[in-house]
Amino acid sequence: MTDSISLDEVMSRIQSFREADTDDLEELSELLGLDLLKDYAGADLREVDLSYKKLEGADFSYSDLQGANLSHSNLRGANLEGANLSKANLTHADLTDADLSSANLTEAILTNTLGVEQDSNQEISEDTNWDIDFDIDFNTNFSDVKIVTRKPLEQAGTSPESLPIGISFLPRRIFGEIIVTSVELVEIIKEKVFSQSYFLNISARVWNVFSDSLRRISQAFSTGDDDSLSILGRERLLTGKILSFDRESKVIQFQIQSERDEDGLNQIFATMKEGNNFVILDACQGGVDNTVAEILLSGLHQEILDKGSFEITFIGGNRLGRSRSRRRSFKSQPLIRGQRIISSQVKEDRQIAKNNEEVTPSQNRE
Amino acid sequence: MQICQNYKPKADNKRPDCLYLDLQISADANENPNRLTLNITINFNEQEEILPLGKIKFGIRGGELRLKLSNGSAPYPSRGLIHQLELAIPQEISISNGYEKSLGGEISFPTPEKGSTAKLSGSGKSTTAKTEKSMIPLCQVSTKGDDSEPAWVFRLRNLGEEVLIGTLQDHLCEVLIEGKPFKLEAVFRVSGKEVWITDSYGLWTNADSRNRSAALGRFLVFQLLMPRLENYLSCLDFSLDSHDSASVIGDVA
């Protein structure tokens, strides 16, 4: 809003505003001559509802969006520099190219934020957008962010220094970075993120992930045993069983064991330990399987460092309902900002996956 | 014997509750009478304002102080505030029912006898309630501009606060008088996005949704409040004429 208007006009607009039977911020803004995309920088937007809004390129810099509902909103390219997004609901929001420098995301809900693989049944194709430019800086506060899933945050920067101190993504995403970044960064993540934040700040949330995952996995496989979980989709190379589950002490003890393919399992671990190939067991969305994988990786931390370079293979996946697995490989190469480097193996695997999919429907009919 | 000349510039603080700005200008006649030392006193707080529809209380979340120097310069090395980006104002904070958590993990690899196991464990202990005074970063100050128009940008650093509240007293800069007449103008400006309504009376009710109050609050800032703060929030003038360095337009303190 750049033009001043007469007092009469001010009163007239306020009258129209008061009579309007809408609670839509965009419509209310229009009645007052405000542009939702331009006029709310630095504004008090606490707990407003901006869900499902097209906010591409909006300027919300230094605004207070604490507790705001931004779920399913398109915030591509939005200026959120210095914005207070603590406790904001950004579920399914698209933050591609958004500027989050110095933003406060404490306790923001980022489930399925950032766009890709929002639908667990969404196919990964050549067109899948792995590239996001997601600017954060040392002042971006990710304390207690809830579940960052489905999209890697390699946009943390091109150098270890660009990782803000004290950020605390859920481990899944931390290792999402490890997968695609330089070995040196592993040390930084281990030191600055994993040890400081994960262990100190978000243990309770890890617990929630376990509980939720157990429930969903149990439903998916109808095992009848809530303490069982199966990983790796159709092949079921690996299953895990909770040995103890103590809410009071917050101690979770579980055992990973092979079910149908012990040789395959041992081969995986042998490869993880001795080769340059590490395996991520990627099953249910946001699931316990990821946490298992993350713990495995944390245990393998030193081995990863010793290798100098490594390759991660995803086996199985979040396709439990589709009864098939997928495999993805990522070569460890220097990180290029906003770009995931995918090895040629992926393309081959995708082709295999496509071929499998073509076969699957007839199999299902059988 | 050191002879120190102190000058007091003319000040116009439009909303002194919201922003009070003062500059203490001094020169050491023995050492270099053409070198002025500027110290700043700036106080931020909330201000009441009566609007046609009701009353509001507002404050600012940032702003820019810019000096305009005629026949003078303020070199970067002499500028103050820039070495401490975060100016901490003592605040009392309460810590109660704290909870310290720790979590550890370990991994063992599969052996022929047993599968791979992973263990995740945690512990916690409560901390005692206490109240202590701590320096909480509230305001971030950065500088910009060339020697003839140096500027300082103030910005609320602590997002837990609504507006800037507190007093800063610090060295601002040194100014070299390079000719006469010398003139210094210090202007503090804010934009609409730096003004924040902290309270209101008669403008909206608790029944109004957050969407409605957010839109109306924004409109009031842009259309009713900002026109009153147009040009500047505070302005100070000081000058020396062409004949006598002691001839001050402004008061000699």
Side-chain angles (χ1 to χ4, degrees), chain B residues 21-116:
Chain B
L21 175 66
D22 190 24
L23 290 178
Q24 297 83 47
I25 303 174
S26 61
D28 187 333
N30 282 353
E31 196 171 290
N32 185 354
N34 290 323
R35 182 192 298 271
L36 301 177
T37 299
L38 273 61
N39 291 314
I40 186 173
T41 300
I42 190 166
N43 184 65
F44 302 98
N45 213 315
E46 294 170 276
Q47 173 104 31
E48 281 192 355
E49 190 84 10
I50 296 172
L51 301 176
L53 294 162
K55 194 164 67 172
I56 61 166
K57 195 182 277 187
F58 75 97
I60 58 175
R61 293 161 71 88
E64 180 184 293
L65 171 65
R66 186 173 286 272
L67 301 187
K68 194 171 180 182
L69 303 170
S70 297
N71 289 323
S73 65
Y76 263 94
S78 78
R79 293 189 195 178
L81 301 181
I82 58 173
H83 295 300
Q84 46 182 143
L85 286 176
E86 291 176 359
L87 298 175
I89 293 173
Q91 292 189 353
E92 196 168 85
I93 58 171
S94 296
I95 303 169
S96 59
N97 300 322
Y99 191 74
E100 293 177 0
K101 286 180 284 189
S102 66
L103 196 66
E106 62 182 40
I107 185 78
S108 67
F109 299 106
T111 64
E113 291 78 28
K114 61 176 184 176
S116 170

Side-chain angles (χ1 to χ4, degrees), chain B residues 34 70-74 176-180 182:
Chain B
N34 290 323
S70 297
N71 289 323
S73 65
L176 298 174
I177 300 172
E178 296 166 340
K180 302 288 177 58
F182 166 78

Side-chain angles (χ1 to χ4, degrees), chain A residues 94-143:
Chain A
D94 187 350
L95 285 164
T96 304
D97 293 328
D99 183 355
L100 284 163
S101 310
S102 302
N104 179 10
L105 284 145
T106 304
E107 294 187 64
I109 303 168
L110 291 170
T111 305
N112 285 335
T113 301
L114 310 175
V116 82
E117 288 192 274
Q118 293 180 352
D119 179 356
S120 62
N121 290 323
Q122 180 184 335
E123 182 53 88
I124 297 171
S125 70
E126 293 296 331
D127 298 328
T128 301
N129 177 20
W130 289 99
D131 304 332
I132 51 175
D133 190 3
F134 185 82
D135 292 333
I136 59 177
D137 67 5
F138 282 102
N139 294 320
T140 304
N141 183 354
F142 278 93
S143 307

Side-chain angles (χ1 to χ4, degrees), chain A residues 1 3-5 7 10-11 13-14 17-18 20 22-23 25 28 32 34 39-49 61-62 64 82-84 102 104 139 198-201 203 206 210 249-256 266 269 273 295-296 299-300 303, chain B residues 52-53 61 86 99 101-112 114-123 140 155-157 159-162 192-197 202-204 208-216 218-220 222-224 227 230:
Chain A
M1 173 179 285
D3 299 330
S4 291
I5 54 177
L7 186 56
V10 169
M11 303 306 284
R13 288 187 190 180
I14 291 175
F17 170 86
R18 293 228 159 113
T22 177
D23 196 41
L25 186 53
L28 292 168
L32 294 168
L34 294 167
D39 290 330
Y40 284 89
D44 181 359
L45 294 171
R46 287 173 290 187
E47 297 175 10
V48 298
D49 184 359
S61 57
Y62 296 97
D64 192 343
N84 186 1
S102 302
N104 179 10
N139 294 320
Y198 170 49
F199 283 126
L200 292 176
N201 296 332
S203 57
V206 172
F210 266 86
S249 64
K250 289 189 169 56
V251 171
I252 305 163
Q253 192 174 13
F254 52 90
Q255 186 179 49
I256 302 169
N266 289 333
F269 281 114
K273 284 187 72 175
I295 292 168
L296 287 171
L300 290 164
E303 282 83 351
Chain B
L53 294 162
R61 293 161 71 88
E86 291 176 359
Y99 191 74
K101 286 180 284 189
S102 66
L103 196 66
E106 62 182 40
I107 185 78
S108 67
F109 299 106
T111 64
K114 61 176 184 176
S116 170
T117 62
K119 185 177 178 182
L120 189 68
S121 62
S123 64
Q140 184 180 53
R155 191 178 294 281
L156 184 68
R157 179 72 180 84
L159 294 178
E161 299 291 330
E162 290 188 324
K193 66 181 182 182
E194 290 160 330
V195 175
W196 187 273
I197 296 175
L203 291 168
W204 53 77
D208 284 330
S209 70
R210 278 298 303 140
N211 281 15
R212 293 184 78 86
S213 54
L216 185 56
R218 203 62 179 157
F219 181 71
L220 295 176
F222 276 116
Q223 292 299 348
L224 294 180
E230 212 167 18

Side-chain angles (χ1 to χ4, degrees), chain A residues 165-181:
Chain A
I165 295 169
I167 64 171
S168 56
F169 306 116
L170 275 181
R172 172 183 167 73
R173 286 301 97 192
I174 294 171
F175 289 105
E177 290 196 44
I178 290 178
I179 292 163
V180 295
T181 193

Side-chain angles (χ1 to χ4, degrees), chain A residues 14-33:
Chain A
I14 291 175
Q15 188 63 30
S16 303
F17 170 86
R18 293 228 159 113
E19 291 170 355
D21 184 23
T22 177
D23 196 41
D24 185 301
L25 186 53
E26 190 174 12
E27 292 175 11
L28 292 168
S29 299
E30 281 176 13
L31 284 169
L32 294 168

